Amino acid sequence: MRMYDIIKSKRDGHELTDKEVDFFVEGYTRGEIPDYQASALLMAIYFQKMGKEETSNLTMAMARSGDMLDLSLIKGTKVDKHSTGGVGDKTTLVVAPLVAAAGVPVAKMSGRGLGHTGGTIDKLEGIPGFDVSMNIEEFISNVNETGIAISAQTGNLAPADKKLYALRDVTATVDNMSLIASSVMSKKIASGADAIVLDVKTGSGAFMKDDESAFELAREMVDIGNGVGRRTVALVTDMSQPLGNAVGNVLEVIEAIETLRGEGPQDLREISLALGAQMLLFGGKAESVEEGRYILEELILSGKGLEKLKELVEAQGGDASCIDDTSKLKKASIQIDVMSEKEGYVASIQADEIGRAALVLGAGRETKESEIDLSVGVVVHKKIGDRIEKGESLATIHANDMQSAEEAKQIITAAYEISGGIVEKPQLIKGIVTREGTIMF
Ligand code: URA
């Protein structure tokens, strides 16, 4: 078998056999297939797409490319959560401690930023000392002791995805249904959780720009998960604008802490409660979504969710005093406001452009090797439907140099559309996809 023929076959629109998929995944993981051939295949998949069976084969080949974790040493039903990626999506930082505080063990492997979207691991590294790399023994023992661990996709977990994820990020091949489904599900399957709650984003800040493709992606992933015996459900949620207000690593950590204190933005709270309630259902701690939400709301009120975040930070070597005093977290040196040039109502926000502004400031990676600046980002003050006056601030830029701040300012100004008439706020949760079917809200 030759990689050249596999690329050519996909380029010409044929389905790859499971042997061809295995050849590619195994060869690329071992370093025998160079990045340029893998990039060519990714681009061919991007344009020609993959069928359901091909996607499922790719997922399993990627899951098998490294260790398949056995979490049976952790007591209870292990429930994982994964988002397909968005702008300002810091829900894991809110949901994971809350769900752990409710008694469901959270053994979570998270990713770094991809394209214009952020990643939980980069955000956690904004907390001084927080160690995202641990071996499996430490990971399991942390979950058993504190009920929660969040680790980077370390060691040998789905190494094929780790390499492909980084390659897709720099070859404009991220936003493809099969590549996203296989990337997400290979990690989830290899990381050993019993049940998986997916947050599939839709809108301008998501990889899936319209609801129809988001529901299709959700269905594909839910079927893959349930097909291999992992109970899987997906919520399809709005990403037509940044989630919450903060975009950028440390800024997002601060907003997550505020949300755990009961003071965060409403949309972030709502989505966190909805995802968390599904996790409690799977974990056997709630009988209904309503009960799940109630339990989580109580954990916010009592401060127990925030306490769990502190325990997580301490257990992973971080400075937990930053959670009580967020002024200790690294700040950018420059803050400038983006003023509205018009009055009216916010009609739309190109959320991916807000993500790109954060990238320009240094919050994300331009190449696989880029170092990121954890302190920079954007805080939006106006969301879709909000009234804005001329000269009022749309957003504040947090930067470490004036040149990138000016560039970000232009991007943000262009990302906002202001209209004269009243605009409705977008629906936050569009529907749920389960093994049994799809319910649109
Ligand atoms: N999240 C992932 O883990 N992989 C993708 O491809 C996109 C989002």
Side-chain angles (χ1 to χ4, degrees):
M1 207 172 277
R2 292 191 317 158
M3 189 59 196
Y4 176 91
D5 299 318
I6 295 176
I7 298 169
K8 185 164 177 294
S9 171
K10 191 77 247 172
R11 185 201 68 186
D12 295 342
H14 302 296
E15 287 235 333
L16 300 180
T17 64
D18 55 348
K19 298 236 164 15
E20 287 171 326
V21 169
D22 284 349
F23 178 88
F24 162 60
V25 172
E26 286 167 17
Y28 186 59
T29 309
R30 283 198 297 263
E32 290 160 12
I33 294 168
D35 278 354
Y36 54 81
Q37 283 190 312
S39 305
L41 181 63
L42 290 174
M43 196 54 88
I45 292 172
Y46 185 89
F47 282 116
Q48 295 291 0
K49 307 196 168 40
M50 282 182 132
K52 269 199 170 244
E53 200 181 321
E54 247 181 322
T55 307
S56 173
N57 288 339
L58 179 62
T59 307
M60 291 317 289
M62 280 162 62
R64 285 192 306 263
S65 66
D67 299 336
M68 301 281 272
L69 297 191
D70 175 5
L71 297 184
S72 56
L73 287 175
I74 301 172
K75 297 169 278 297
T77 307
K78 279 74 66 186
V79 187
D80 205 344
K81 172 250 161 206
H82 199 91
S83 154
T84 55
V87 178
D89 181 9
K90 68 285 288 173
T91 47
T92 293
L93 301 179
V94 180
V95 174
L98 281 176
V99 168
V104 176
V106 177
K108 174 129 184 57
M109 299 267 172
S110 286
R112 294 193 180 273
L114 186 65
H116 64 273
T117 71
T120 302
I121 290 302
D122 294 332
K123 291 169 204 182
L124 284 171
E125 283 184 341
I127 301 170
F130 196 100
D131 185 7
V132 295
S133 57
M134 51 180 113
N135 63 36
I136 183 65
E137 288 76 25
E138 286 166 330
F139 185 67
I140 290 177
S141 109
N142 275 17
V143 182
N144 274 333
E145 267 162 42
T146 56
I148 182 167
I150 304 182
S151 153
Q153 190 183 340
T154 50
N156 207 23
L157 188 105
D161 173 60
K162 200 169 172 187
K163 286 186 79 177
L164 287 170
Y165 196 91
L167 190 62
R168 286 166 58 215
D169 195 18
V170 292
T171 54
T173 50
V174 171
D175 47 342
N176 169 275
M177 189 130 14
S178 297
L179 296 177
I180 296 177
S182 56
S183 163
V184 170
M185 294 312 290
S186 62
K187 284 188 284 251
K188 299 295 102 180
I189 290 167
S191 61
D194 304 305
I196 303 158
V197 176
L198 299 168
D199 182 7
V200 178
K201 302 286 186 195
T202 167
S204 62
F207 296 124
M208 295 293 123
K209 303 288 182 208
D210 59 82
D211 293 1
E212 199 186 333
S213 13
F215 274 100
E216 207 182 312
L217 173 63
R219 165 60 52 213
E220 187 130 356
M221 294 197 290
V222 167
D223 287 348
I224 293 173
N226 286 302
V228 293
R230 311 293 170 95
R231 283 183 295 155
T232 307
V233 69
L235 292 184
V236 176
T237 70
D238 182 60
M239 189 34 75
S240 62
Q241 56 182 341
L243 183 60
N245 302 318
V247 181
N249 299 290
V250 164
L251 295 169
E252 293 191 40
V253 169
I254 295 172
E255 190 167 87
I257 293 169
E258 285 164 359
T259 306
L260 282 169
R261 284 191 192 132
E263 296 157 5
Q266 195 54 25
D267 56 351
L268 174 61
R269 178 186 166 98
E270 267 309 300
I271 290 193
S272 302
L273 292 175
L275 292 166
Q278 294 296 331
M279 292 173 79
L280 295 198
L281 281 178
F282 275 155
K285 296 290 174 191
E287 303 262 312
S288 65
V289 172
E290 292 69 33
E291 191 194 355
R293 280 183 64 104
Y294 177 77
I295 293 171
L296 298 168
E297 279 170 341
E298 287 294 304
L299 290 166
I300 294 177
L301 269 179
S302 67
K304 288 189 179 145
L306 193 66
E307 272 310 307
K308 191 52 81 179
L309 177 65
K310 281 198 246 170
E311 282 178 44
L312 165 75
V313 170
E314 236 158 57
Q316 295 192 214
D319 179 358
S321 70
C322 296
I323 307 298
D324 286 326
D325 180 4
T326 53
S327 69
K328 288 185 173 173
L329 296 168
K330 197 162 168 250
K331 297 261 161 0
S333 55
I334 302 168
Q335 267 119 55
I336 57 168
D337 281 302
V338 183
M339 304 302 191
S340 178
E341 289 160 2
K342 285 200 223 166
E343 64 166 43
Y345 296 85
V346 178
S348 70
I349 305 175
Q350 272 311 117
D352 49 356
E353 287 295 291
I354 305 288
R356 192 163 71 82
L359 205 91
V360 162
L361 293 167
R365 289 176 188 77
E366 296 284 354
T367 70
K368 279 205 280 183
E369 289 76 26
S370 302
E371 285 271 318
I372 63 172
D373 184 342
L374 297 167
S375 65
V376 297
V378 180
V379 177
V380 299
H381 305 304
K382 297 289 173 182
K383 306 276 293 261
I384 297 174
D386 285 348
R387 170 91 197 150
I388 176 100
E389 302 304 328
K390 187 173 174 194
E392 207 184 341
S393 175
L394 287 167
T396 304
I397 292 169
H398 295 246
N400 280 322
D401 69 276
M402 262 330 267
Q403 199 187 334
S404 66
E406 283 302 332
E407 199 181 329
K409 192 172 174 179
Q410 287 185 10
I411 297 172
I412 295 166
T413 306
Y416 269 89
E417 188 197 345
I418 313 286
S419 82
I422 290 178
V423 179
E424 243 185 74
K425 292 196 178 297
Q427 183 188 1
L428 265 184
I429 303 177
K430 317 268 178 184
I432 183 166
V433 177
T434 67
R435 184 170 49 184
E436 288 75 29
T438 296
I439 302 168
M440 308 261 197
F441 296 153

